[in-house]
Amino acid sequence: MADNPIHITLVTLGVADVQASAAFYETLGLKRAPASQEAVVFFDMGGVALGLFGREPLAEDAGVPPHGEGFRAVTLAWNQPDEDAVDDALARAVKAGGQLVKAAEKVFWGGYSGYFSDPDGHLWEVAYNPYSPLREDGSMEL
């Protein structure tokens, strides 16, 4: 085992308008962390933080070009305790200003899932996985 095992501690999304994106996630129920500033907003998501930072400054920080559209080859997942909760979460995201990308349906692996995108096009899967129950705190048990 490595001396410093890998843990995802922060997911940062590059966004067009930090404050508008923050408002979207606040409408979904997240609470802005005290470390937030005008140019970067953080949310505690139960052990993993979500950060919102301007798309261009984030690209500059990483030393890569800021352009690029379409599928980004990554999705974020928000697992739910049952199928009804999946439908409710998707409706909540759309009501908050997200876009329904794929309505929830039974899927080949035995679960139930659908997708929405946030105002910047970041894809979120909302899923019920009967083989990976959620702990009491909402985290996934593998």
Side-chain angles (χ1 to χ4, degrees):
M1 177 176 242
D3 291 338
N4 187 7
I6 296 171
H7 295 277
I8 292 178
T9 55
L10 171 66
V11 173
T12 303
L13 301 178
V15 300
D17 182 322
V18 172
Q19 296 307 314
S21 291
F24 170 78
Y25 285 101
E26 287 174 320
T27 301
L28 284 180
L30 296 180
K31 304 238 183 298
R32 224 177 263 232
S36 297
Q37 303 167 19
E38 187 69 25
V40 62
V41 173
F42 298 103
F43 299 99
D44 182 348
M45 296 181 67
V48 175
L50 175 66
L52 304 174
F53 195 55
R55 182 182 178 115
E56 290 187 11
L58 183 59
E60 182 180 331
D61 186 54
V64 298
H67 54 278
E69 299 298 323
F71 184 57
R72 294 169 175 93
V74 67
T75 63
L76 303 169
W78 180 14
N79 282 29
Q80 300 296 318
D82 57 49
E83 292 181 9
D84 288 338
V86 169
D87 293 331
D88 291 346
L90 286 169
R92 190 166 131 200
V94 170
K95 185 177 180 184
Q99 180 178 349
L100 183 65
V101 174
K102 180 182 173 190
E105 62 185 18
K106 293 197 181 285
V107 291
F108 71 94
W109 47 265
Y112 182 77
S113 77
Y115 286 84
F116 74 88
S117 62
D118 74 3
D120 288 277
H122 299 289
L123 287 174
W124 283 81
E125 178 187 24
V126 181
Y128 163 62
N129 184 340
Y131 309 108
S132 295
L134 298 179
R135 296 182 182 103
E136 195 169 304
D137 67 0
S139 63
M140 190 162 92
E141 187 173 317
L142 295 174

